[in-house]
mmCIF file of all heavy atoms in Angstrom:
data_model
loop_
_atom_site.group_PDB
_atom_site.id
_atom_site.type_symbol
_atom_site.label_atom_id
_atom_site.label_comp_id
_atom_site.label_asym_id
_atom_site.label_seq_id
_atom_site.Cartn_x
_atom_site.Cartn_y
_atom_site.Cartn_z
ATOM 1 N N GLY A 134 -23.802 36.511 -14.901
ATOM 2 C CA GLY A 134 -24.072 37.068 -16.195
ATOM 3 C C GLY A 134 -23.490 38.507 -16.301
ATOM 4 O O GLY A 134 -23.939 39.333 -15.608
ATOM 5 N N LEU A 137 -24.593 43.032 -21.150
ATOM 6 C CA LEU A 137 -24.703 44.470 -21.047
ATOM 7 C C LEU A 137 -25.402 44.886 -19.647
ATOM 8 O O LEU A 137 -25.030 45.747 -19.069
ATOM 9 C CB LEU A 137 -25.429 45.089 -22.176
ATOM 10 C CG LEU A 137 -24.878 45.009 -23.499
ATOM 11 C CD1 LEU A 137 -25.712 45.810 -24.592
ATOM 12 C CD2 LEU A 137 -23.489 45.511 -23.477
ATOM 13 N N VAL A 138 -26.412 43.996 -19.333
ATOM 14 C CA VAL A 138 -27.152 44.364 -18.139
ATOM 15 C C VAL A 138 -26.357 43.970 -16.787
ATOM 16 O O VAL A 138 -26.256 44.855 -15.979
ATOM 17 C CB VAL A 138 -28.557 43.578 -18.140
ATOM 18 C CG1 VAL A 138 -29.243 43.729 -16.817
ATOM 19 C CG2 VAL A 138 -29.446 44.207 -19.189
ATOM 20 N N GLU A 157 -19.029 35.698 -15.246
ATOM 21 C CA GLU A 157 -19.401 35.704 -16.665
ATOM 22 C C GLU A 157 -18.746 34.647 -17.373
ATOM 23 O O GLU A 157 -17.591 34.365 -17.327
ATOM 24 C CB GLU A 157 -18.996 37.113 -17.224
ATOM 25 C CG GLU A 157 -19.093 37.228 -18.756
ATOM 26 C CD GLU A 157 -20.356 36.830 -19.457
ATOM 27 O OE1 GLU A 157 -21.488 37.221 -19.019
ATOM 28 O OE2 GLU A 157 -20.327 36.036 -20.372
ATOM 29 N N ALA A 158 -19.545 33.934 -18.181
ATOM 30 C CA ALA A 158 -18.935 32.708 -18.920
ATOM 31 C C ALA A 158 -18.012 33.100 -20.005
ATOM 32 O O ALA A 158 -17.099 32.366 -20.299
ATOM 33 C CB ALA A 158 -20.227 31.972 -19.469
ATOM 34 N N ARG A 171 -23.146 45.620 -34.874
ATOM 35 C CA ARG A 171 -24.567 45.669 -34.421
ATOM 36 C C ARG A 171 -24.607 46.873 -33.341
ATOM 37 O O ARG A 171 -23.748 47.076 -32.565
ATOM 38 C CB ARG A 171 -24.951 44.428 -33.713
ATOM 39 C CG ARG A 171 -26.485 44.350 -33.353
ATOM 40 C CD ARG A 171 -26.789 43.024 -32.690
ATOM 41 N NE ARG A 171 -27.888 43.404 -31.723
ATOM 42 C CZ ARG A 171 -28.144 42.633 -30.738
ATOM 43 N NH1 ARG A 171 -27.557 41.410 -30.535
ATOM 44 N NH2 ARG A 171 -29.115 42.952 -29.919
ATOM 45 N N ILE A 173 -27.301 49.314 -30.773
ATOM 46 C CA ILE A 173 -28.506 49.303 -29.867
ATOM 47 C C ILE A 173 -28.870 50.720 -29.613
ATOM 48 O O ILE A 173 -28.178 51.611 -29.519
ATOM 49 C CB ILE A 173 -28.131 48.557 -28.600
ATOM 50 C CG1 ILE A 173 -29.362 47.952 -27.878
ATOM 51 C CG2 ILE A 173 -27.405 49.347 -27.585
ATOM 52 C CD1 ILE A 173 -29.051 46.759 -27.074
ATOM 53 N N ALA A 174 -30.410 50.883 -29.761
ATOM 54 C CA ALA A 174 -30.945 52.208 -29.521
ATOM 55 C C ALA A 174 -31.107 52.485 -28.095
ATOM 56 O O ALA A 174 -31.931 51.777 -27.416
ATOM 57 C CB ALA A 174 -32.160 52.461 -30.423
ATOM 58 N N LEU A 256 -21.681 29.554 -14.014
ATOM 59 C CA LEU A 256 -22.340 29.029 -12.979
ATOM 60 C C LEU A 256 -22.964 27.688 -13.252
ATOM 61 O O LEU A 256 -23.522 27.545 -14.286
ATOM 62 C CB LEU A 256 -23.461 30.014 -12.538
ATOM 63 C CG LEU A 256 -24.311 29.489 -11.366
ATOM 64 C CD1 LEU A 256 -23.687 29.811 -10.021
ATOM 65 C CD2 LEU A 256 -25.729 30.050 -11.492
ATOM 66 N N ALA A 284 -28.471 37.747 -14.089
ATOM 67 C CA ALA A 284 -28.480 38.624 -15.319
ATOM 68 C C ALA A 284 -27.963 37.667 -16.418
ATOM 69 O O ALA A 284 -27.119 38.152 -17.290
ATOM 70 C CB ALA A 284 -27.526 39.818 -15.075
ATOM 71 N N ASP A 285 -28.330 36.540 -16.480
ATOM 72 C CA ASP A 285 -27.742 35.512 -17.293
ATOM 73 C C ASP A 285 -28.587 35.162 -18.606
ATOM 74 O O ASP A 285 -28.505 34.086 -19.188
ATOM 75 C CB ASP A 285 -27.397 34.199 -16.486
ATOM 76 C CG ASP A 285 -28.557 33.666 -15.783
ATOM 77 O OD1 ASP A 285 -29.592 34.283 -15.690
ATOM 78 O OD2 ASP A 285 -28.500 32.489 -15.237
ATOM 79 N N ASN A 411 -32.606 40.397 -19.525
ATOM 80 C CA ASN A 411 -33.256 39.324 -20.356
ATOM 81 C C ASN A 411 -33.574 38.097 -19.406
ATOM 82 O O ASN A 411 -34.425 37.269 -19.804
ATOM 83 C CB ASN A 411 -32.329 38.914 -21.526
ATOM 84 C CG ASN A 411 -32.731 39.704 -22.668
ATOM 85 O OD1 ASN A 411 -33.155 40.807 -22.670
ATOM 86 N ND2 ASN A 411 -32.304 39.204 -23.924
ATOM 87 N N ALA A 421 -37.359 48.598 -29.741
ATOM 88 C CA ALA A 421 -36.124 48.923 -29.268
ATOM 89 C C ALA A 421 -36.132 49.257 -27.809
ATOM 90 O O ALA A 421 -35.603 50.113 -27.245
ATOM 91 C CB ALA A 421 -35.536 50.124 -29.971
ATOM 92 N N GLY A 423 -35.823 46.401 -25.145
ATOM 93 C CA GLY A 423 -35.413 45.308 -24.221
ATOM 94 C C GLY A 423 -34.253 45.818 -23.320
ATOM 95 O O GLY A 423 -34.421 45.659 -22.047
ATOM 96 N N PHE A 424 -33.219 46.289 -23.822
ATOM 97 C CA PHE A 424 -32.123 46.690 -22.970
ATOM 98 C C PHE A 424 -32.458 47.901 -22.172
ATOM 99 O O PHE A 424 -32.025 48.093 -21.029
ATOM 100 C CB PHE A 424 -30.818 47.073 -23.805
ATOM 101 C CG PHE A 424 -29.682 47.509 -23.019
ATOM 102 C CD1 PHE A 424 -29.145 46.671 -22.028
ATOM 103 C CD2 PHE A 424 -29.194 48.705 -23.152
ATOM 104 C CE1 PHE A 424 -28.115 47.123 -21.138
ATOM 105 C CE2 PHE A 424 -28.124 49.251 -22.379
ATOM 106 C CZ PHE A 424 -27.628 48.276 -21.411
ATOM 107 N N ASN A 425 -33.191 48.863 -22.837
ATOM 108 C CA ASN A 425 -33.595 50.138 -22.080
ATOM 109 C C ASN A 425 -34.424 49.671 -20.718
ATOM 110 O O ASN A 425 -34.169 50.222 -19.692
ATOM 111 C CB ASN A 425 -34.441 50.948 -22.884
ATOM 112 C CG ASN A 425 -33.688 51.641 -23.961
ATOM 113 O OD1 ASN A 425 -32.634 52.326 -23.762
ATOM 114 N ND2 ASN A 425 -34.074 51.497 -25.280
HETATM 115 C C1 FAD B 9 -31.861 42.230 -33.237
HETATM 116 C C2 FAD B 9 -31.988 42.910 -31.906
HETATM 117 C C3 FAD B 9 -32.008 44.265 -31.743
HETATM 118 C C4 FAD B 9 -32.144 44.833 -30.438
HETATM 119 N N1 FAD B 9 -32.175 46.230 -30.387
HETATM 120 C C5 FAD B 9 -32.428 46.770 -29.208
HETATM 121 C C6 FAD B 9 -32.406 48.192 -29.134
HETATM 122 O O1 FAD B 9 -32.200 49.013 -30.146
HETATM 123 N N2 FAD B 9 -32.748 48.760 -27.870
HETATM 124 C C7 FAD B 9 -32.866 47.962 -26.774
HETATM 125 O O2 FAD B 9 -33.131 48.476 -25.658
HETATM 126 N N3 FAD B 9 -32.854 46.702 -26.839
HETATM 127 C C8 FAD B 9 -32.544 46.075 -28.012
HETATM 128 N N4 FAD B 9 -32.462 44.700 -28.036
HETATM 129 C C9 FAD B 9 -32.521 43.841 -26.850
HETATM 130 C C10 FAD B 9 -31.249 43.812 -26.216
HETATM 131 O O3 FAD B 9 -30.168 43.259 -27.048
HETATM 132 C C11 FAD B 9 -31.202 42.884 -24.936
HETATM 133 O O4 FAD B 9 -32.246 43.296 -24.085
HETATM 134 C C12 FAD B 9 -29.912 42.886 -24.012
HETATM 135 O O5 FAD B 9 -28.820 42.684 -24.879
HETATM 136 C C13 FAD B 9 -29.999 41.861 -22.956
HETATM 137 O O6 FAD B 9 -28.810 41.946 -22.161
HETATM 138 P P1 FAD B 9 -28.630 40.884 -20.919
HETATM 139 O O7 FAD B 9 -27.302 41.383 -20.464
HETATM 140 O O8 FAD B 9 -29.836 40.903 -20.033
HETATM 141 O O9 FAD B 9 -28.659 39.456 -21.534
HETATM 142 P P2 FAD B 9 -27.549 38.741 -22.454
HETATM 143 O O10 FAD B 9 -26.922 39.756 -23.464
HETATM 144 O O11 FAD B 9 -28.113 37.535 -22.987
HETATM 145 O O12 FAD B 9 -26.353 38.392 -21.459
HETATM 146 C C14 FAD B 9 -26.332 37.389 -20.510
HETATM 147 C C15 FAD B 9 -24.904 37.014 -20.146
HETATM 148 O O13 FAD B 9 -24.945 35.882 -19.225
HETATM 149 C C16 FAD B 9 -23.948 35.080 -19.475
HETATM 150 N N5 FAD B 9 -24.231 33.748 -18.912
HETATM 151 C C17 FAD B 9 -25.213 32.939 -19.276
HETATM 152 N N6 FAD B 9 -25.295 31.794 -18.574
HETATM 153 C C18 FAD B 9 -24.224 31.974 -17.675
HETATM 154 C C19 FAD B 9 -23.731 31.017 -16.610
HETATM 155 N N7 FAD B 9 -24.319 29.900 -16.350
HETATM 156 N N8 FAD B 9 -22.683 31.504 -15.902
HETATM 157 C C20 FAD B 9 -22.081 32.704 -16.211
HETATM 158 N N9 FAD B 9 -22.534 33.507 -17.212
HETATM 159 C C21 FAD B 9 -23.581 33.124 -17.940
HETATM 160 C C22 FAD B 9 -23.765 35.137 -21.000
HETATM 161 O O14 FAD B 9 -22.373 34.720 -21.375
HETATM 162 C C23 FAD B 9 -24.037 36.524 -21.305
HETATM 163 O O15 FAD B 9 -22.902 37.341 -21.340
HETATM 164 C C24 FAD B 9 -32.303 44.089 -29.305
HETATM 165 C C25 FAD B 9 -32.280 42.664 -29.404
HETATM 166 C C26 FAD B 9 -32.161 42.077 -30.644
HETATM 167 C C27 FAD B 9 -32.200 40.546 -30.799
#
Side-chain angles (χ1 to χ4, degrees):
L137 295 189
V138 169
E157 166 54 45
R171 191 182 144 198
I173 202 149
L256 179 82
D285 53 349
N411 271 22
F424 177 63
N425 290 307

